[in-house]
Amino acid sequence: MHHYFKHLECSNCGEIHLHTVPQNVCLSCGKPLFARYSLEQLPETWKPEHLQSRPASLWRYKELLPICDEKHIVSLGETMTPIIHTKRLGEHFGLPELWIKDESRLPTGSFKARGLAMAVSKAKELSINKLAIPSAGNAATALSVYAAAADISANIFMPKDTPTFNIETCRLAGANVTLIDGLISDAGKIVAERKADEGWFDVSTLKEPYRVEGKKTMGFELAEQFGWKLPDVIIYPTGGGTGIVGMWKGFEELETIGWIGKKRPRFISVQSAGCAPIVKAWEDGNTSAEPWQDAHTIASGLRVPQAIGDFLILKAIRESGGTAVAVTDDAIQDAMQLLPTKEGILTCPEGAATVAALEQLLSDGTITSSDQVVLFNTGGFQT
Ligand SMILES: *Cc1c(COP(=O)(O)O)cnc(C)c1O
């Protein structure tokens, strides 16, 4: 199979790394690596119309994905997720162009499937057979099932108060699960300490270059579903930040190949008031974030006190003319009721946080009634 994947490039210092061997972060500066493609070699004749005959899954964008040989793809059916025009909720807010991209339809019920499908496929391509991950929950579930399908071992470290759904699903899929007394950042330290001895490859958010490639397909789908015209605003619940960073990167690639223009949606990063390091950094005008102390929130996916990609998230927000907002757990809970009541869409707390943020941003004038707004429901309702 012909592929266009050229090399890995440090997102901070620009140093080039080989993609034919396993890589984590930049060997010089320790920051995340980005996959780069020979986009100039894509045939000029490659046009959006060519996608139409392809399966409705994220693999339809294979020219812009890092898997070199399709036989390594590990797939559980990563369907294109629907983009739903939420008219009743829009009426409620006086916002006619309100849409939700519903990521809950993906395998394991969250958008984490996109990133882990890519990371596990790439691990298979590189003959890696032991993976380890610190997780707040959904990434662990997604890794466990994809690793099971690929016959690769999955070693999971997560907080002991992670939702039961995540703990149980990992165990059902045969992963080695360790529950720790601490947060995802503490779990990350354990993986870092033990990985050399255990022979594990670390698939932590943005310490592995391919999860973000899976996440960027959210941006590709969004662009395609809107006829290659991006919306005015994207509201996105932010933990480790791969979603925002991935979409940002994906839009840049689409512009390079001439499929979209210069316009970018304003990225609005939503965090929980109980763990809002990116919001704090944004409000303080900083380009990186301080670790958050005593992180707590019902939105477990947002309970990420420190993100290695902080500078990339803040850059995407800044360059897109967006902003970052915190919402309380009470507001999240209200939104978890409002959305299904108005639209019949059941959400995870993280998805509901975007609705709570919208309310805030409409009242302070950041979003106006003429904006076309897309909320990301990053996962389904789970107990
Ligand atoms: C992981 C997670 C998030 C945060 O995603 P990032 O792209 O890492 O910021 C949001 N919502 C849900 C449901 C998650 O599982």
Side-chain angles (χ1 to χ4, degrees):
M1 170 194 162
H2 187 72
H3 69 85
Y4 298 89
F5 185 18
K6 190 164 55 172
H7 54 233
L8 292 163
E9 181 187 274
C10 177
S11 59
N12 176 50
C13 74
E15 188 168 294
I16 306 294
H17 296 63
L18 284 179
H19 70 67
T20 47
V21 291
Q23 302 276 9
N24 285 110
V25 289
C26 177
L27 298 169
S28 293
C29 74
K31 298 295 184 189
L33 296 174
F34 277 166
R36 295 296 185 203
Y37 301 85
S38 311
L39 298 177
E40 69 290 348
Q41 282 175 17
L42 274 167
E44 292 224 345
T45 49
W46 195 52
K47 293 282 174 245
E49 302 83 84
H50 294 110
L51 299 175
Q52 278 163 16
S53 58
R54 295 187 181 178
S57 94
L58 61 81
W59 302 105
R60 70 204 264 110
Y61 309 106
K62 61 185 177 186
E63 284 82 350
L64 301 174
L65 295 176
I67 308 305
C68 300
D69 187 333
E70 278 176 65
K71 74 169 191 261
H72 297 126
I73 291 176
V74 182
S75 174
L76 298 173
E78 298 69 35
T79 185
M80 277 178 95
T81 61
I83 176 120
I84 300 165
H85 192 182
T86 45
K87 297 195 189 98
R88 288 193 69 219
L89 190 67
E91 244 164 62
H92 173 81
F93 286 124
L95 190 62
E97 280 296 313
L98 180 62
W99 300 72
I100 292 188
K101 187 147 175 71
D102 190 6
E103 295 283 296
S104 69
R105 319 298 178 91
L106 286 159
T108 69
S110 93
F111 75 143
K112 288 291 192 305
R114 293 182 188 269
L116 275 311
M118 203 61 63
V120 171
S121 298
K122 195 65 196 179
K124 195 171 159 198
E125 187 154 83
L126 296 173
S127 305
I128 297 170
N129 55 23
K130 289 182 192 169
L131 300 173
I133 197 168
S135 172
N138 284 329
T141 294
L143 174 64
S144 298
V145 297
Y146 282 97
D151 194 19
I152 290 176
S153 99
N155 298 278
I156 311 286
F157 292 82
M158 53 189 172
K160 64 179 189 316
D161 56 351
T162 298
T164 315
F165 168 85
N166 296 118
I167 299 172
E168 291 298 314
T169 47
C170 291
R171 288 185 175 144
L172 288 170
N176 305 313
V177 179
T178 308
L179 299 178
I180 63 142
D181 195 4
L183 296 172
I184 183 175
S185 38
D186 304 301
K189 284 177 201 141
I190 299 175
V191 171
E193 276 162 24
R194 291 183 53 188
K195 64 185 177 186
D197 284 349
E198 303 279 357
W200 296 334
F201 182 71
D202 183 353
V203 286
S204 301
T205 299
L206 289 169
K207 289 184 188 163
E208 182 280 343
Y210 304 110
R211 284 174 62 184
V212 69
E213 293 301 287
K215 290 282 191 79
K216 82 181 179 188
T217 62
M218 288 190 290
F220 291 167
E221 286 180 21
L222 193 67
E224 187 175 357
Q225 287 166 320
F226 278 118
W228 309 100
K229 284 190 194 68
L230 299 178
D232 299 308
V233 177
I234 287 177
I235 308 188
Y236 188 88
T238 309
T242 41
I244 287 191
V245 173
M247 284 192 272
W248 180 245
K249 179 175 186 289
F251 292 150
E252 204 173 276
E253 291 166 0
L254 291 180
E255 188 185 347
T256 305
I257 63 170
W259 287 16
I260 61 168
K262 285 217 166 320
K263 177 184 162 175
R264 294 292 185 275
R266 279 130 62 199
F267 275 116
I268 303 202
S269 164
V270 184
Q271 297 198 302
S272 164
C275 180
I278 299 297
V279 179
K280 170 134 200 342
W282 176 255
E283 286 172 351
D284 293 347
N286 294 335
T287 51
S288 63
E290 294 291 321
W292 189 269
Q293 304 302 323
D294 303 322
H296 60 89
T297 167
I298 54 166
S300 53
L302 306 187
R303 203 169 53 152
V304 181
Q306 186 169 24
I308 182 179
D310 55 355
F311 67 108
L312 297 168
I313 304 168
L314 289 160
K315 189 170 162 199
I317 297 171
R318 193 170 56 246
E319 290 184 359
S320 70
T323 188
V325 290
V327 296
T328 63
D329 278 4
D330 283 348
I332 290 176
Q333 235 138 13
D334 290 347
M336 279 185 83
Q337 172 93 65
L338 180 66
L339 191 53
T341 309
K342 292 283 178 201
E343 294 290 344
I345 301 172
L346 296 161
T347 85
C348 54
E350 296 84 351
T354 65
V355 179
L358 175 64
E359 197 154 8
Q360 215 171 296
L361 295 160
L362 280 164
S363 68
D364 71 15
T366 308
I367 294 177
T368 60
S369 60
S370 61
D371 281 325
Q372 186 179 49
V373 178
V374 177
L375 311 179
F376 270 79
N377 181 33
T378 45
F381 177 80
Q382 294 156 1
T383 52

Short mmCIF file of all heavy atoms in Angstrom, two decimals, residues 18 95-96 103 107 111 127 130 159 162 168 181 183 197 227 232 250 296 338 345 352 361:
data_model
loop_
_atom_site.label_atom_id
_atom_site.label_comp_id
_atom_site.label_asym_id
_atom_site.label_seq_id
_atom_site.Cartn_x
_atom_site.Cartn_y
_atom_site.Cartn_z
N LEU A 18 12.31 9.32 13.47
CA LEU A 18 11.86 8.23 12.59
C LEU A 18 10.52 7.67 13.06
O LEU A 18 10.31 7.52 14.26
CB LEU A 18 12.85 7.07 12.67
CG LEU A 18 14.17 7.17 11.93
CD1 LEU A 18 14.98 5.90 12.20
CD2 LEU A 18 13.89 7.33 10.43
N LEU A 95 -30.71 29.97 19.56
CA LEU A 95 -29.54 29.74 18.71
C LEU A 95 -29.94 28.75 17.61
O LEU A 95 -29.85 27.54 17.78
CB LEU A 95 -28.42 29.16 19.59
CG LEU A 95 -27.02 29.04 19.02
CD1 LEU A 95 -26.46 30.40 18.67
CD2 LEU A 95 -26.11 28.35 20.05
N PRO A 96 -30.39 29.27 16.45
CA PRO A 96 -30.93 28.38 15.42
C PRO A 96 -29.92 27.36 14.89
O PRO A 96 -30.29 26.25 14.52
CB PRO A 96 -31.35 29.33 14.29
CG PRO A 96 -31.34 30.71 14.86
CD PRO A 96 -30.47 30.69 16.09
N GLU A 103 -20.46 11.56 19.73
CA GLU A 103 -19.37 10.58 19.74
C GLU A 103 -19.70 9.33 20.54
O GLU A 103 -18.90 8.39 20.59
CB GLU A 103 -18.11 11.24 20.30
CG GLU A 103 -17.57 12.36 19.44
CD GLU A 103 -16.83 11.82 18.23
OE1 GLU A 103 -15.80 11.14 18.42
OE2 GLU A 103 -17.30 12.07 17.10
N PRO A 107 -17.33 2.52 19.25
CA PRO A 107 -17.07 1.36 20.11
C PRO A 107 -16.63 1.82 21.51
O PRO A 107 -15.83 2.76 21.61
CB PRO A 107 -15.92 0.64 19.40
CG PRO A 107 -16.03 1.04 17.97
CD PRO A 107 -16.58 2.44 17.98
N PHE A 111 -15.43 8.76 22.42
CA PHE A 111 -14.51 9.12 21.34
C PHE A 111 -13.09 8.63 21.58
O PHE A 111 -12.25 8.73 20.71
CB PHE A 111 -14.54 10.62 21.14
CG PHE A 111 -13.81 11.37 22.20
CD1 PHE A 111 -13.09 12.51 21.90
CD2 PHE A 111 -13.81 10.93 23.50
CE1 PHE A 111 -12.39 13.18 22.88
CE2 PHE A 111 -13.12 11.59 24.49
CZ PHE A 111 -12.41 12.73 24.17
N SER A 127 5.08 -4.01 15.78
CA SER A 127 5.29 -5.23 16.56
C SER A 127 5.50 -5.00 18.05
O SER A 127 6.30 -5.69 18.70
CB SER A 127 6.50 -6.02 16.01
OG SER A 127 6.34 -6.27 14.65
N LYS A 130 3.29 -5.11 24.35
CA LYS A 130 2.80 -4.79 25.70
C LYS A 130 2.57 -3.29 25.80
O LYS A 130 3.51 -2.50 25.66
CB LYS A 130 3.85 -5.18 26.75
CG LYS A 130 4.03 -6.67 26.94
CD LYS A 130 5.06 -6.89 28.04
CE LYS A 130 5.52 -8.34 28.08
NZ LYS A 130 6.68 -8.49 28.95
N PRO A 159 -7.32 5.70 38.73
CA PRO A 159 -7.73 6.00 40.11
C PRO A 159 -8.75 4.97 40.62
O PRO A 159 -9.57 4.48 39.84
CB PRO A 159 -8.39 7.39 39.99
CG PRO A 159 -7.80 7.99 38.76
CD PRO A 159 -7.54 6.85 37.83
N THR A 162 -12.43 5.51 39.79
CA THR A 162 -12.85 5.58 38.37
C THR A 162 -14.23 4.92 38.25
O THR A 162 -14.51 3.96 38.96
CB THR A 162 -11.80 4.83 37.51
OG1 THR A 162 -10.55 5.47 37.66
CG2 THR A 162 -12.19 4.81 36.04
N GLU A 168 -14.81 -2.37 35.13
CA GLU A 168 -15.37 -3.67 34.74
C GLU A 168 -15.07 -4.01 33.28
O GLU A 168 -14.73 -5.15 32.95
CB GLU A 168 -16.90 -3.68 34.96
CG GLU A 168 -17.29 -3.66 36.42
CD GLU A 168 -16.80 -4.89 37.17
OE1 GLU A 168 -16.96 -6.00 36.64
OE2 GLU A 168 -16.24 -4.73 38.27
N ASP A 181 -4.38 4.80 44.48
CA ASP A 181 -4.89 5.81 45.39
C ASP A 181 -4.31 7.14 44.91
O ASP A 181 -3.24 7.54 45.32
CB ASP A 181 -4.38 5.47 46.80
CG ASP A 181 -5.13 6.23 47.86
OD1 ASP A 181 -6.07 6.96 47.51
OD2 ASP A 181 -4.75 6.10 49.04
N LEU A 183 -4.63 10.28 41.36
CA LEU A 183 -5.26 10.73 40.13
C LEU A 183 -4.52 10.20 38.91
O LEU A 183 -3.50 9.53 39.03
CB LEU A 183 -5.29 12.27 40.09
CG LEU A 183 -6.14 12.92 41.18
CD1 LEU A 183 -5.92 14.43 41.18
CD2 LEU A 183 -7.61 12.59 40.99
N ASP A 197 11.46 -1.66 32.95
CA ASP A 197 11.60 -3.02 33.50
C ASP A 197 10.58 -3.99 32.91
O ASP A 197 10.89 -5.15 32.67
CB ASP A 197 11.41 -3.00 35.02
CG ASP A 197 12.64 -2.45 35.72
OD1 ASP A 197 13.67 -2.28 35.02
OD2 ASP A 197 12.57 -2.16 36.93
N GLY A 227 -19.95 20.03 4.54
CA GLY A 227 -19.64 20.38 3.16
C GLY A 227 -18.34 21.17 3.03
O GLY A 227 -18.21 22.04 2.17
N ASP A 232 -18.71 28.13 13.10
CA ASP A 232 -18.09 29.30 13.76
C ASP A 232 -17.45 28.94 15.09
O ASP A 232 -16.44 29.54 15.47
CB ASP A 232 -19.16 30.39 14.01
CG ASP A 232 -19.77 30.88 12.71
OD1 ASP A 232 -19.00 31.25 11.81
OD2 ASP A 232 -21.01 30.86 12.58
N GLY A 250 -5.67 18.62 12.28
CA GLY A 250 -6.41 18.10 11.12
C GLY A 250 -6.87 19.22 10.20
O GLY A 250 -6.77 19.10 8.96
N HIS A 296 -11.16 17.59 41.56
CA HIS A 296 -12.36 16.77 41.80
C HIS A 296 -13.49 17.26 40.89
O HIS A 296 -13.68 18.46 40.70
CB HIS A 296 -12.79 16.89 43.27
CG HIS A 296 -13.11 18.30 43.66
ND1 HIS A 296 -14.37 18.85 43.52
CD2 HIS A 296 -12.32 19.31 44.10
CE1 HIS A 296 -14.33 20.11 43.89
NE2 HIS A 296 -13.10 20.42 44.24
N LEU A 338 -31.19 18.52 30.83
CA LEU A 338 -31.73 19.39 29.77
C LEU A 338 -31.59 18.77 28.38
O LEU A 338 -32.53 18.77 27.58
CB LEU A 338 -31.01 20.75 29.82
CG LEU A 338 -31.46 21.79 28.78
CD1 LEU A 338 -32.90 22.22 29.03
CD2 LEU A 338 -30.52 23.01 28.80
N ILE A 345 -31.06 13.10 23.56
CA ILE A 345 -29.66 12.65 23.50
C ILE A 345 -29.13 12.49 24.92
O ILE A 345 -29.06 13.45 25.68
CB ILE A 345 -28.78 13.67 22.72
CG1 ILE A 345 -29.30 13.85 21.29
CG2 ILE A 345 -27.31 13.22 22.72
CD1 ILE A 345 -28.60 14.96 20.52
N ALA A 352 -22.24 16.96 28.67
CA ALA A 352 -23.18 17.91 29.26
C ALA A 352 -22.47 19.22 29.61
O ALA A 352 -23.07 20.31 29.55
CB ALA A 352 -23.82 17.30 30.51
N LEU A 361 -21.71 31.24 27.86
CA LEU A 361 -21.11 32.03 26.78
C LEU A 361 -22.14 32.86 26.03
O LEU A 361 -21.83 33.90 25.47
CB LEU A 361 -20.38 31.09 25.81
CG LEU A 361 -19.19 30.36 26.44
CD1 LEU A 361 -18.83 29.12 25.64
CD2 LEU A 361 -18.00 31.30 26.56
#
